[in-house]
Structure formats: C-alpha cells, structure tokens
Amino acid sequence: MAPAAPEPASDSPPPWPHCGHGSTSADPVGCRGIRVSVHTACLAHLSGVDRAAYLATLSPGTAIDHRGTPFTPELLDQLLSALRDASTGQPHVGDAQFDTASFSGDAQFGMVSFSGTAVFNKASFSGDAKFNDAVFAEDARFYRASFSGNAWFDGASFSNYALFNEASFSEGASFDGASFASLALFIKASFASDARFDDVPFSDTARFNRASFSSYAMFVGASFAEEALFNEVSFAGEARFTDASFARDARFDEASFSGTGLFDAVSFAGDARFGGARFSGNALFNRVRFEVASRLGPMVCAKQVVLDAAVFQQPVTLEIAARQVSCVRTRWTSTATLHLRYAELDLRDAVFEYPVPVTARATPFPLSSSADSISETVLSGRAPGVRLMSVDGVDAAHLALNDIDLSRCRFAGTVHLDQLRVDGWCTFATTPTGWSRRFPWRWNQRNTLAEEHHWRVRTARRPDLATALGWASPPPDAPVLRPAAVAALYRQLRKSLEDGKNEPDAADFYYGECEMRRRDTTRPRGERVLLTLYWALSGYGLRATRALAWLGAAITATMAVMMLWGLPVDDPKPTTTGRQVAIGQQITLTTDTPEPVNPANRLADRVTTKRFEKSLRVVINSVIFRSSGQGLTTIGTYTEMTSRLAEPVLLGLAALAVRSRVKR
C-alpha cells in the first residue's frame, strides 16, 4: 500500500514563529516547527542542553505546543516521559497542539491522557500511530491528518468532539472498543486498508459522509445513540455492521458498496435510509430490526439483498433493484409496500400481519435528492421484471401481487392461498404445446403451476423426455407432492382468480384441478372414469374445439347410419280399410301405417340425395332435441334416440367452453 502523502510544503511561512532550520534557496522557509519558549529553534532542533532544560519545566497536565515539529520516536518518548504522571505511570497532557507535525517511525501515544484539546490537524505519521487506550477529555482533532502506517485507536476514549474529517489512512485503522461520547466526524476520511470500529459506542452523532473505505469496513457490535450518517460513502471492500445498533436515524443515502454489505442482526431504532445506495456485491440485512424506518431504498444491488428474519415494525416502503431479494422469515408488523426491479423474490415463511402488496416497477427509481434516476448499470442486460420463487409457509391473506412472474413460484405449504390477491399482469407457467405422440391431436397451451411441472417430470417413465418436451425439472429442495395436493393448490388459486374476476385464467386452473384428480389413483375408479370421459369429450368443459369435433363426428356417424340402415325403402303410407254390413248402417274404417321396410339393396345404392336430405333433417332435429317425424327402421329409431341424447350434450359442452373463455 502506498503511504499517504504528507501535507506538501508551502513557500509561505506558517502563521507561528518557526524554527527555519535547514532553510535553503530552494526552501527558504526551512523547518516549520514552532519555536520553543524563548528559544529560536523548535524542539527537534534545540541543543541538548536547551532541550533538557525545557523538558525539565514540564509537569503532568502541562499544555504543549509543537506545531510543525518533526518528531522521531526518541524525541516523542522524551517529551511524553517528561509529562508522565507518577500516580498513574502514564503521560498526562493538557492542551496539545501538533498541527502539521510530522512523526517518523512509530508514534507511541498509547494510554496518554489529554485533559485539554488535542490537535493533530494535518499531522503526518510515516509509521504506525498508536493511540491505544488514549483518553481525550476535550476535542480530538485530526483534520486532514495522514497515516502512512497502521493507526491504532483501540480502546481510546473521546469525551468531546472527535474530528477526523478528510483524514487519510493508508494502512489499517482500528478503533475497536473505542468510545465516542460526543460528535464523531469522519467526513471525507479515506481508509485505504481495513477500518475497524468493532464494539465502538457512538454516544452522539457519527458522521462518515463521503468517506471512502477501500478495504474492509468493520462496525461489528458498534452502537449509535444518535444519528449515524454514511451519505455518499464508498465501500470498496466488505462492509460489516453485524450486531450494530442504531438508536436514531441511520442514513446511507447514495452510499456505494462494491463488496458485500453485512447488516446482520442490526437494530435500527430510528429511521434507516439507503436512498440511492449501490451494492456491487451482496447486501445482507439478516435479523435486522427496523423500528421506525418508513422507507428502505431506493437501492441497487448487483447480487443479492438478504432481509431474512428482519422485522419491520412501522409502515414501510421498500424500493430495491437486485438480482435476488430474500425475505425468508421476514416479519412485517404493519403495512408495507415492496417495489422491486430485476429481482427473484423469496418469501418463504414470511409473516404479513397487515396488507403487503408486491409490485414490479416498470421504470427506474428516482433519487430523493434530485430529479435523476438511480443508476442500474450493474444490472444491465437483465429483464427488469420480478419473479416470485416461493411463498411456502406464508399466510397469503394479506399478500397482494401485481405484475409478478409466477412461472417458477412454489405455492405448496401456503395458508389461505384462496385469499391471495393476483392483480395486474401476473404470469404463470404454461404447458408444452405440440402434437401428441400417442393421439392424433395437438396439445393446447394453458396456465399451470410449477408443482404440476415437477410432478409430471417425477412420474414420467422417461424424465429426460419430459423435460425435453418442455416440462420443468424440480429443484433439489422441491417437496414431493401427490396429485391430490396439487389439485388443492389449483382449487384455492382458482377461487382467488375468480374473486378477482379473472375467469379465463381461473378456467385454466379448473382444468389443472380436474387433471390432477383424474391422475389421482387414490380416488374411486368410477370418478376417474367419468373425469376421463369429461376430459376426452370436451377437455373438462373448457375445450370447445374438442367438443365440436366430437359433435361433428357424432353427426357424421348418425347420418351414415340413417342413410344405410335407418331410413326405410319408402316412407310408409297410411292405409284405411272398412266395410258396411248393411245399407243404412254406419261404416267402420280402420287406418293403419305399415311397418317400415328395411332396405335390401346394395349399400352403395342407398347413398342418394333424397336419403341424404332425410338423414340431415333427422340429425339436425336431434341436435336441438326434437323429433323429426320421419319414419325410421328399428335401427334408425334407436340411432335417433341415441343422437337426441348425445348430440345436444356435446353442443352444450362446446357452448360451456366458449362461455368460460369470454365470461367477464
């Protein structure tokens, strides 16, 4: 790692009386260290006798001013030794001014107590800066300080303002166990290596706005009693906020996470804002508590946003564009709205105590700070739609879906599935289409559930052939369902669609329900035979073409039977017979119709235009359940009776199928 550049030398002299040691024509100012007392040199350039005399005047708690002074480890040790408190054995400094001072080698300030203001503005540390367990009773100012080595502030105590604005840390910066009792400012600070703030209590506002973390940023177990501001912060490495607690507002507006952002088990007691935040890796919010957050996002994540076991206690709006959004066991104790883009959403075991609509947003999210939209370049090349993967274990009574792709969604295990709201343009999986390999017909496309796809592949004689035809293979963790369980899913979702006035799609789910009942070997054989006939004749009353085809076949067969065997040779003519017994008596007449005479000529001779017309009249009357009045042979009579029963039924099934597709 390249060392941080110290504050560049200026041709202008500092605003204090300076040493000037080593001045040349190229550097007319020379040493910029402040002069010590009545001397004309800084502490670094005093003679041995003068330095010893000055150090002898120091006592614990003395204010010191060594601005611009170059310190070696030995010189710093001499200075701190002169300020050592005999009662504690540790150096005790009053006001300390080290503005633009330079520290070569390691700077040992461990366990030093600063009872006054400690100023290290623009100071440069070429080695490690060790402030472990240091105590800052007043302001600690490190504005634009540069740390070329490791900066150790572990266990340090900041009782007043801690200002690290624009400070640069070239190596590791560790504040583990440090405490900030007042304002902590790291605005525009630069962390080139690991930055550790584990278990740090921030008692007042902590501001990291526009800071940059080039490696790990560790805030594990940190506690923020007041506002925590990370607006426009850049996290190039992994950012860990595991078990951190935010008592008030936490703002990450337009922050950039190039690595994974871990917020596991974080507690946000105030508002949590991530407006415009960008994650190039994963964003992990496992077990996070959002107590008053009203809006989460808009945020963009190149990979996965994980909200598993998170709790939202107030009405909240989530605006997320990510490849995957996981809300496993997430709890919403109030109303919420999920606006998503690009995402595969997992809602397994999520808890909805109030209505929660999930909507696919068609346009990019606008930034709250400007009229521009948030950049989605990390998700370029993907369709912006939202795909729901599972609602297993969810009580769907309060769940509403709008414009969601449900083609791979697993509904098994969902409670109150019949109360699920499916609005907008929600799409389901479809069946494969094409010509049947065993029967001379073509399979129609219909909406179906992923569970039926999985069942058909599992029960197929050749699963590879089933998948080749277009049935989706079940994932390894998909449950094995019986046809009765899949039929129940279809039945509940059909009711949900019917309640939403979506009759055409509900009809497809009725088809799927009947199909699963027909395939269920635990049902009575008679019921399965009836369902098979219902399927074969009209596709469960939903395939008008099939019913009309059977009707056409029935009409053709009836006409053929009528022409060949059903019509007699000639229409029987009534014959009246009688006799008069005696003149003047009444005449008794008897009218009889002769029995129809079966045709005896060749079959080919029976196919005539006249017989065709009579057969057509008989068939048409049979379709509308009327008798034609045509004289028929015995075969013709029974054929007419059969057609008067079957053909109106087929016509009714065709009408029912048309009605199911056009019903509002």
Side-chain angles (χ1 to χ4, degrees):
M1 182 68 65
E7 189 69 19
S10 172
D11 293 337
S12 301
W16 53 78
H18 67 288
C19 174
H21 179 79
S23 61
T24 63
S25 57
D27 182 14
V29 178
C31 176
R32 288 162 174 75
I34 190 170
R35 296 174 182 177
V36 175
S37 186
V38 297
H39 302 285
T40 59
C42 66
L43 182 62
H45 298 115
L46 280 177
S47 65
V49 175
D50 291 339
R51 183 184 301 157
Y54 165 73
L55 294 176
T57 64
L58 301 180
S59 62
T62 301
I64 57 175
D65 184 356
H66 295 289
R67 289 172 286 178
T69 302
F71 281 90
T72 62
E74 295 76 17
L75 179 59
L76 179 60
D77 182 64
Q78 293 175 26
L79 175 62
L80 296 180
S81 296
L83 296 166
R84 195 175 304 278
D85 189 337
S87 62
T88 62
Q90 304 301 330
H92 177 199
V93 185
D95 288 339
Q97 292 186 302
F98 290 94
D99 302 66
T100 70
S102 61
F103 298 87
S104 59
D106 293 347
Q108 298 282 355
F109 285 92
M111 303 186 72
V112 173
S113 176
F114 297 89
S115 57
T117 301
V119 182
F120 290 84
N121 293 337
K122 300 184 181 180
S124 61
F125 299 84
S126 59
D128 290 349
K130 300 181 179 180
F131 287 84
N132 307 67
D133 298 306
V135 177
F136 298 89
E138 296 296 334
D139 292 356
R141 302 178 182 176
F142 289 84
Y143 170 72
R144 297 187 68 179
S146 62
F147 298 86
S148 298
N150 292 307
W152 304 96
F153 287 85
D154 297 348
S157 174
F158 298 87
S159 299
N160 212 340
Y161 290 178
L163 291 83
F164 288 84
N165 295 344
E166 299 187 46
S168 61
F169 299 86
S170 296
E171 295 294 336
S174 179
F175 289 81
D176 290 351
S179 62
F180 294 85
S182 188
L183 189 65
L185 301 179
F186 289 83
I187 298 173
K188 293 187 180 180
S190 173
F191 299 87
S193 189
D194 296 353
R196 305 182 66 92
F197 291 84
D198 296 345
D199 299 311
V200 172
F202 294 89
S203 300
D204 204 336
T205 301
R207 297 182 180 176
F208 289 82
N209 296 342
R210 300 180 68 180
S212 63
F213 296 84
S214 299
S215 187
Y216 286 103
M218 316 293 284
F219 289 84
V220 177
S223 61
F224 298 85
E226 296 294 333
E227 284 187 326
L229 307 179
F230 290 83
N231 297 334
E232 300 183 58
V233 171
S234 173
F235 296 93
E238 189 173 282
R240 293 188 181 181
F241 288 82
T242 305
D243 293 313
S245 62
F246 295 83
R248 296 192 62 182
D249 294 355
R251 300 185 180 181
F252 290 80
D253 294 342
E254 299 188 51
S256 173
F257 297 80
S258 298
T260 299
L262 292 93
F263 293 83
D264 297 351
V266 171
S267 174
F268 291 97
D271 197 6
R273 299 186 182 181
F274 289 82
R278 298 178 299 277
F279 298 83
S280 296
N282 296 316
L284 307 180
F285 294 87
N286 295 303
R287 305 186 306 281
V288 173
R289 294 183 65 86
F290 297 92
E291 297 185 13
V292 298
S294 60
R295 186 181 185 187
L296 185 63
M299 64 174 69
V300 174
C301 182
K303 294 183 180 178
Q304 188 177 32
V305 175
V306 179
L307 291 163
D308 294 351
V311 178
F312 294 88
Q313 296 183 321
Q314 296 295 326
V316 63
T317 298
L318 277 66
E319 297 177 323
I320 302 173
R323 291 178 183 269
Q324 294 178 320
V325 177
S326 178
C327 294
V328 178
R329 300 188 307 280
T330 304
R331 177 181 292 271
W332 281 273
T333 61
S334 187
T335 57
T337 301
L338 276 67
H339 293 294
L340 306 177
R341 285 174 59 80
Y342 300 98
E344 292 182 354
L345 176 62
D346 189 351
L347 291 176
R348 283 175 297 162
D349 299 313
V351 177
F352 306 100
E353 298 184 15
Y354 289 86
V356 175
V358 180
T359 303
R361 186 180 176 91
T363 58
F365 299 110
L367 292 170
S368 58
S369 59
S370 66
D372 297 332
S373 298
I374 189 170
S375 174
E376 298 178 343
T377 55
V378 295
L379 296 169
S380 60
R382 293 176 59 87
V386 177
R387 296 158 293 282
L388 182 59
M389 306 307 293
S390 177
V391 287
D392 182 14
V394 171
D395 186 341
H398 293 301
L399 180 60
L401 305 177
N402 188 60
D403 294 342
I404 305 298
D405 183 354
L406 303 174
S407 59
R408 289 189 290 168
C409 182
R410 286 183 279 171
F411 293 95
T414 307
V415 181
H416 294 145
L417 189 57
D418 58 326
Q419 299 179 38
L420 174 69
R421 289 291 305 274
V422 181
D423 299 322
W425 189 65
C426 290
T427 58
F428 294 89
T430 57
T431 56
T433 59
W435 290 96
S436 172
R437 294 176 177 269
R438 293 184 298 172
F439 304 101
W441 58 60
R442 190 177 188 276
W443 296 110
N444 291 327
Q445 188 178 78
R446 63 178 171 88
N447 288 334
T448 183
L449 298 180
E451 282 83 357
E452 181 179 347
H453 280 254
H454 302 164
W455 177 84
R456 288 187 179 274
V457 172
R458 284 191 173 112
T459 57
R461 294 181 179 179
R462 292 184 56 187
D464 56 336
L465 181 58
T467 55
L469 291 174
W471 297 103
S473 298
D477 60 338
V480 178
L481 300 179
R482 300 176 64 88
V486 181
L489 296 178
Y490 273 121
R491 182 163 51 253
Q492 294 181 73
L493 276 173
R494 173 172 61 86
K495 182 180 182 302
S496 171
L497 295 175
E498 289 173 345
D499 291 343
K501 306 303 181 183
N502 186 354
E503 297 292 346
D505 288 341
D508 279 349
F509 281 9
Y510 175 71
Y511 191 106
E513 177 189 351
C514 291
E515 188 71 2
M516 291 296 100
R517 288 170 55 194
R518 183 171 70 90
R519 303 276 186 164
D520 185 6
T521 57
T522 63
R523 289 189 173 274
R525 182 181 296 274
E527 178 183 347
R528 293 169 57 200
V529 170
L530 288 176
L531 285 170
T532 301
L533 290 174
Y534 194 22
W535 164 78
L537 292 176
S538 64
Y540 308 113
L542 297 172
R543 298 292 181 262
T545 304
R546 192 179 305 180
L548 291 174
W550 280 110
L551 177 60
I555 290 174
T556 302
T558 302
M559 291 183 62
V561 171
M562 286 297 178
M563 283 192 296
L564 297 178
W565 300 284
L567 296 176
V569 175
D570 295 306
D571 291 336
K573 297 180 180 180
T575 303
T576 302
T577 59
R579 62 188 180 86
Q580 184 177 21
V581 178
I583 297 175
Q585 293 182 345
Q586 293 182 344
I587 299 175
T588 301
L589 301 176
T590 302
T591 301
D592 292 323
T593 301
E595 291 292 328
V597 178
N598 291 326
N601 55 342
R602 293 185 312 152
L603 294 178
D605 295 336
R606 303 176 195 178
V607 182
T608 63
T609 303
K610 184 177 181 180
R611 291 177 66 85
F612 175 81
E613 180 184 356
K614 291 181 178 180
S615 299
L616 181 61
R617 188 183 307 116
V618 171
V619 170
I620 292 176
N621 281 279
S622 297
V623 170
I624 60 176
F625 212 72
R626 291 178 56 187
S627 175
S628 64
Q630 172 68 46
L632 301 173
T633 65
T634 302
I635 294 176
T637 301
Y638 283 104
T639 300
E640 183 188 34
M641 293 172 58
T642 303
S643 66
R644 288 177 64 186
L645 176 64
E647 290 168 5
V649 171
L650 293 173
L651 181 62
L653 290 175
L656 179 64
V658 173
R659 171 62 173 163
S660 67
R661 291 302 179 185
V662 299
K663 185 178 180 181
R664 292 182 296 176

